[in-house]
Amino acid sequence: MANKKVSVFFCQECGNESSKWSGQCPACGAWNTLVEETIDKTTVKTRAKVSDIKPTKLIDVKASNEQRISTNIEEFDRVLGGGIVPGSMVLVGGDPGIGKSTLLLQTCQQLCKSGTNVMYVSGEESLQQIKIRADRIGDFNDKLDLLCETSLDTIRAVVEREMPTVLIIDSIQTMFNETVGSAPGSVSQVRESTSVLMQIAKGKGIAVFIVGHVTKEGTVAGPRVLEHMVDTVLYFEGDRHASYRILRGVKNRFGSTNEIGVFEMRDIGLEQVKNPSAMMLDGRPENATGSVVTCSMEGTRPILVEIQSLVSKTAFEIPRRMATGCDYNRVNLLVAVLERMRDLKANKSCGIFLGRSDIYVNIAGGIRINEPAIDLAIAMAVYSSEKDIPVDAGTIVFGEIGLSGEVRSVSMAEQRVSEAKKLGFKKAIIPASNLPAVSSISGIKVIGVSNVKEAVDAISR
């Protein structure tokens, strides 16, 4: 066995390793993300006997139905896919201060109440600091063990001796693997430390939660490097200065992806928001122009949100366009469709001129939606603001818009209309091709439209 130190370059966005520096990462294409690190290269001259390795037939493999561990936090269980799977690795990422440690400490509290042994390893805070946060959250029993340590060798020894059911590492950027020569928080340290924790999770059947910080500039090595290594990736979204937080699952080997959990940050910790639609529509103005309610599907959950638009004449040569919570380029596309809108029955153009207007589009509540189903609502909000025509407060609008102005069908139309009916909406403007799917729903008037002009006529009635 021979040891030697070499310099390599890691991409902070994707973790790709290069032997020399370049301005652009050859793997992900990001610019100026390669950083130099000195690592120990160990060459081992032993080789496994190939003759001893045999494949296994798929029909001989017996799948075990693992009993999930409930966190007793419904919103968290929803995002996890029904609870914690023993032996799984879960990455919880997000900006510093967003509420990751608070949520996991609340999870520890609920797990301990149900008799689950939990170990919380912190590399950032002292025992006293954790105790202060715990006192703010509530009462804990003796099922929770705390360990303030950054050495992976020490953590591994303690975990193998105590054998907790759930292990929480806060955070992975502070962990230090002595076999890696680089500093804590570097790409190589984060990756190798996660590899050690994976061996603990898979070998001992311990569910491991890893906290990973990432800044908006992407300068900290963290979740982006680890996403392919772990079983589940959860991201906290939202402004740290606002009260609402959204926990989104972007990868889950044990459940569906794109599920979200909604929480509200309070002085006693994070509180579940079990009806996010009502929360998103709270404080909606009445008889205001440029305000349209739409429905977005987040995983299997329909969520009603308010689309706001403000159109005003510009005082400059080039009008300003701004989008908050939705795709900026998509808004520009929908504006172009409105300008080229045609009345197919009369076979004439009936578009609105927006070339001299500033256009602002916002999704109220701090949520971000990229689903094409909100296209029709954005277009109607812009039209409502430009023409100064308020949309009835009891109307919901959804549908995808094509470049020629046609309104295309969307998935799960029945769930969207049912959610609107549950919250008291009286009328739904949806794609005409989705009408058969909602024909069984009564108590709400459903109007099918096949193009943007028909939608404009429907909201003007």
Side-chain angles (χ1 to χ4, degrees):
M1 182 180 295
N3 296 326
K4 61 179 181 179
K5 291 185 177 182
V6 297
S7 292
V8 295
F9 296 86
F10 287 100
C11 174
Q12 291 185 310
E13 290 290 333
C14 67
N16 181 64
E17 179 180 338
S18 301
S19 59
K20 61 181 181 179
W21 185 89
S22 61
Q24 185 181 29
C25 174
C28 66
W31 289 92
N32 299 322
T33 58
L34 295 183
V35 292
E36 183 180 8
E37 293 182 11
T38 302
I39 62 173
D40 290 331
K41 288 284 187 179
T42 303
T43 57
V44 182
K45 295 185 178 180
T46 59
R47 181 180 297 178
K49 294 182 179 180
V50 179
S51 59
D52 296 337
I53 303 175
K54 295 181 179 180
T56 303
K57 295 186 181 297
L58 179 61
I59 59 175
D60 295 334
V61 179
K62 295 182 179 180
S64 59
N65 295 323
E66 293 286 353
Q67 185 68 32
R68 292 178 183 262
I69 304 171
S70 175
T71 64
N72 295 321
I73 303 176
E74 293 181 12
E75 293 294 301
F76 198 18
D77 283 342
R78 171 192 290 272
V79 182
L80 288 173
I84 302 173
V85 177
S88 63
M89 282 197 69
V90 180
L91 172 65
V92 182
D95 298 336
I98 199 72
K100 303 181 296 296
S101 300
T102 300
L103 175 62
L104 291 177
L105 196 57
Q106 288 182 239
T107 303
C108 292
Q109 180 190 38
Q110 297 298 324
L111 290 172
C112 292
K113 285 182 179 179
S114 61
T116 303
N117 293 319
V118 184
M119 179 176 292
Y120 189 100
V121 180
S122 176
E124 299 180 342
E125 298 176 307
S126 64
L127 295 176
Q128 290 74 20
Q129 289 174 311
I130 300 174
K131 176 64 175 176
I132 292 173
R133 181 189 288 123
D135 290 340
R136 188 174 72 249
I137 293 174
D139 297 328
F140 287 76
N141 57 26
D142 60 355
K143 293 292 185 179
L144 176 61
D145 294 327
L146 299 180
L147 178 64
C148 293
E149 184 60 61
T150 58
S151 172
L152 259 298
D153 291 338
T154 303
I155 293 171
R156 183 169 192 167
V158 174
V159 170
E160 290 178 349
R161 184 180 70 241
E162 301 294 333
M163 288 298 295
T165 305
V166 178
L167 172 64
I168 296 175
I169 304 295
D170 186 9
S171 68
I172 191 63
Q173 275 89 3
T174 61
M175 296 298 110
F176 181 76
N177 190 343
E178 295 180 359
T179 61
V180 181
S182 56
S186 61
V187 177
S188 55
Q189 274 287 0
V190 168
R191 188 164 54 187
E192 293 303 320
S193 298
T194 304
S195 178
V196 172
L197 295 171
M198 182 180 295
Q199 295 173 10
I200 296 175
K202 306 303 179 183
K204 305 296 182 181
I206 299 173
V208 179
F209 285 82
I210 300 175
V211 176
H213 300 305
V214 58
T215 64
K216 293 180 180 179
E217 294 78 15
T219 56
V220 179
R224 294 190 181 100
V225 180
L226 308 179
E227 285 182 355
H228 69 284
M229 300 178 66
V230 300
D231 298 313
T232 304
V233 180
L234 309 179
Y235 271 105
F236 249 129
E237 300 176 358
D239 188 352
R240 58 181 294 187
H241 302 294
S243 59
Y244 293 110
R245 305 284 192 272
I246 295 174
L247 183 66
R248 186 184 302 273
V250 297
K251 174 186 176 181
N252 194 346
R253 289 173 178 162
F254 309 109
S256 61
T257 57
N258 291 325
E259 288 285 358
I260 70 167
V262 184
F263 298 88
E264 181 181 4
M265 179 63 80
R266 297 192 174 183
D267 55 349
I268 59 173
L270 289 163
E271 184 172 325
Q272 303 179 73
V273 179
K274 297 184 179 180
N275 190 350
S277 295
M279 178 268 291
M280 294 294 177
L281 299 179
D282 186 31
R284 183 163 59 102
E286 296 182 2
N287 298 321
T289 61
S291 174
V292 178
V293 176
T294 188
C295 184
S296 172
M297 294 299 300
E298 297 292 343
T300 58
R301 167 187 283 184
I303 296 182
L304 270 60
V305 295
E306 179 192 1
I307 306 289
Q308 298 176 330
S309 178
L310 176 62
V311 180
S312 61
K313 298 301 179 183
T314 184
F316 304 98
E317 289 294 328
I318 302 177
R320 187 176 185 184
R321 307 287 163 82
M322 181 178 293
T324 304
C326 57
D327 186 18
Y328 168 80
N329 294 321
R330 192 70 180 174
V331 171
N332 285 334
L333 183 150
L334 296 174
V335 169
V337 170
L338 286 173
E339 290 187 325
R340 294 292 301 273
M341 183 170 52
R342 291 187 63 84
D343 187 343
L344 298 181
K345 294 180 180 180
N347 194 23
K348 65 178 182 179
S349 177
C350 56
I352 55 177
F353 180 67
L354 299 169
R356 292 292 180 183
S357 300
D358 293 332
I359 301 176
Y360 304 90
V361 176
N362 173 53
I363 298 182
I367 191 172
R368 180 167 184 85
I369 300 175
N370 292 319
E371 190 187 18
I374 68 173
D375 286 355
L376 191 58
I378 294 176
M380 295 304 99
V382 173
Y383 182 87
S384 170
S385 180
E386 166 64 17
K387 293 297 185 179
D388 198 24
I389 301 175
V391 179
D392 181 38
T395 301
I396 182 175
V397 181
F398 62 83
E400 181 182 355
I401 296 179
L403 290 180
S404 60
E406 77 277 13
V407 178
R408 297 176 173 269
S409 63
V410 299
S411 61
M412 300 183 180
E414 185 178 1
Q415 290 90 326
R416 299 175 200 259
V417 176
S418 298
E419 181 72 8
K421 176 187 173 183
K422 187 189 304 180
L423 291 178
F425 284 82
K426 302 299 182 183
K427 184 168 69 173
I429 301 175
I430 70 172
S433 53
N434 282 128
L435 284 176
V438 301
S439 58
S440 61
I441 302 177
S442 59
I444 181 172
K445 182 180 179 181
V446 181
I447 301 176
V449 296
S450 57
N451 55 65
V452 176
K453 180 61 172 62
E454 292 181 8
V456 166
D457 294 340
I459 67 169
S460 302
R461 293 171 187 169

